[in-house]
Amino acid sequence: MAKDRKTDLPAGIRDALSAIASGKPLFARKDAESTRPSDTLLAIDSVRARTLAAAMQILAEKGVAALSLRAIADSAGIGLTSIYHYFASKEELLLQLALTGFHDLQREIEHFRTLPEHAPPMRAAARAFFNFVLAHPALATLMFDEHLMAQHGALREAELATIAAYRASMEEDDRLPPEHQENAAHAIWAMGRGIAAIIASYPPGEIPPERIEKLLTGAAFLIDRTA
């Protein structure tokens, strides 16, 4: 990657830090704006979609602690009884939000793999992951919530399907021997999970830029190294 002589940072990391400072997505698409999680909800039944979209907005703006079925009903402009028709409990609604998040993350990984400006594929998939986490930190935290993961096999399966999409990017990258690709995919994914947890541990916009720099520069070094 190109280096900046003044800062000696990889050009991609400099661009990422500039994007974060201006409130933009980490690695912006050149063909279109980054997909928002609510886009997936548009194809769902209208009342259910409005409930999930309102919940997603509250989650993004105020965090999971502010999510109550009453608050969601008021935001969506629908009756509380209508919500109970689709979701028996708050946990069931949170599960659906987390599943939606994994669906969108998988789609982003698959899309970034097709963009030549983010090549090689393994780097592109990693950028999709970090872009998603920085753009939707509260949703990412919910997706990896230990309680939800332990209680719902569907969520674990959704994560494994997303990891499989990341592994597919490795299969297109000749720097890793085929016999190590699956193990490496899980290890790099675990690293991404850890970075996501660190980012989510700060209030929105308050993570020190130098910490993001260290996380992203270190991850880029590990991912971009040839095997």
Side-chain angles (χ1 to χ4, degrees):
M1 291 187 294
K3 296 278 188 178
D4 180 287
R5 294 182 180 178
K6 183 177 181 180
T7 63
D8 199 36
L9 286 175
I13 301 302
R14 291 200 325 273
D15 294 342
L17 294 173
S18 296
I20 294 165
S22 60
K24 297 178 181 178
L26 174 59
F27 300 106
R29 293 183 176 187
K30 292 186 178 181
D31 61 332
E33 292 186 3
S34 182
T35 301
R36 298 183 304 174
S38 58
D39 293 342
T40 300
L41 307 179
L42 297 179
I44 307 174
D45 171 84
S46 58
V47 173
R48 188 169 185 268
R50 286 165 60 192
T51 300
L52 289 171
M56 193 73 79
Q57 183 174 357
I58 294 172
L59 177 66
E61 295 177 353
K62 301 179 180 179
V64 69
L67 276 175
S68 69
L69 296 184
R70 169 59 65 186
I72 295 167
D74 291 344
S75 177
I78 57 181
L80 190 58
T81 303
S82 298
I83 292 182
Y84 278 114
H85 178 74
Y86 291 95
F87 304 100
S89 64
K90 176 181 174 179
E91 179 165 316
E92 184 176 335
L93 188 146
L94 293 178
L95 173 62
Q96 291 305 312
L97 290 179
L99 291 172
T100 297
F102 275 118
H103 174 85
D104 289 327
L105 176 54
Q106 181 176 342
R107 185 172 57 184
E108 287 293 276
I109 289 173
E110 292 169 348
H111 178 78
F112 266 64
R113 282 167 46 199
T114 68
L115 303 180
E117 64 267 24
H118 294 312
M122 187 168 71
R123 180 198 301 165
R127 286 187 168 188
F129 181 91
F130 294 130
N131 191 63
F132 184 92
V133 168
L134 282 166
H136 314 289
L139 176 59
T141 300
L142 180 63
M143 290 160 57
F144 298 122
D145 181 83
E146 293 179 1
H147 171 77
L148 283 179
M149 280 282 185
Q151 296 296 318
H152 301 284
L155 193 58
R156 297 192 297 272
E157 292 173 5
E159 182 183 25
L160 289 174
T162 310
I163 294 174
Y166 184 76
R167 182 190 172 188
S169 72
M170 288 187 158
E171 294 173 352
E172 299 171 2
D173 197 316
D174 60 8
R175 295 177 298 166
L176 283 175
E179 65 270 21
H180 294 298
Q181 289 174 353
E182 182 172 5
N183 291 340
H186 282 273
I188 294 174
W189 186 267
M191 177 182 69
R193 256 194 183 227
I195 292 175
I198 291 172
I199 292 171
S201 68
Y202 287 84
E206 293 187 19
I207 183 170
E210 62 272 15
R211 189 154 200 203
I212 291 183
E213 175 187 320
K214 292 179 184 300
L215 292 170
L216 296 183
T217 304
F221 172 76
L222 294 175
I223 292 169
D224 288 342
R225 284 190 69 181
T226 57

